[in-house]
Amino acid sequence: QVQLVESGGGLVQPGGSLRLSCAASGSRFSINVMGWYRQAPGKERELVATVARGGNTHYADSVKDRFTISMDNAKNTAYLQMNSSNLVDTAVYYCYADVRLLSVNSYYWGQGTQVTVSS
């Protein structure tokens, strides 16, 4: 089993910055990809960004050039640096990990963290 623990959400003013963290723990697993989805009230969950173990990244168009995702392989932890925040970034952010555990690929989810952009 793999557990994901998220941290770093909260209130940020428009134009401000926030950093989310997602730490994976467990035994005998390796991470393939980590990333974040977000869900705003009344909207579907959408992909925000992903980072592969080798460093390849992918961003939604809405966050490209504003958000940066990275991963510390030694710590099995991913980070989402959110800059130039705007109101549409308000959502619950869910971390996920695509991991290989006992020769099986599985997906795990964090508990979600609220990000509110407001003045």
Side-chain angles (χ1 to χ4, degrees):
Q1 192 75 354
V2 176
Q3 293 80 40
L4 301 182
V5 177
E6 300 184 58
S7 60
L11 177 65
V12 60
Q13 292 187 338
S17 297
L18 205 62
R19 189 175 84 153
L20 306 183
S21 300
C22 178
S25 64
S27 61
R28 293 180 290 175
F29 73 97
S30 61
I31 293 175
N32 298 318
V33 178
M34 293 186 76
W36 272 269
Y37 281 76
R38 67 185 182 186
Q39 188 166 22
K43 294 189 176 181
E44 294 186 355
R45 191 174 293 193
E46 63 173 354
L47 180 65
V48 177
T50 63
V51 57
R53 188 169 187 84
N56 289 338
T57 57
H58 171 79
Y59 297 93
D61 287 343
S62 58
V63 306
K64 204 171 292 185
D65 299 326
R66 298 190 299 119
F67 291 8
T68 302
I69 191 169
S70 60
M71 183 161 59
D72 184 330
N73 292 332
K75 296 181 179 180
N76 289 325
T77 299
Y79 304 95
L80 184 69
Q81 179 66 42
M82 305 169 55
N83 296 331
S84 303
S85 299
N86 57 55
L87 300 180
V88 298
D89 295 325
T90 295
V92 177
Y93 284 69
Y94 296 93
C95 170
Y96 86 96
D98 171 3
V99 306
R100 189 158 184 85
L101 177 66
L102 300 177
S103 302
V104 176
N105 289 331
S106 302
Y107 287 88
Y108 293 87
W109 292 90
Q111 78 278 15
T113 187
Q114 176 71 47
V115 172
T116 302
V117 182
S118 175
S119 56

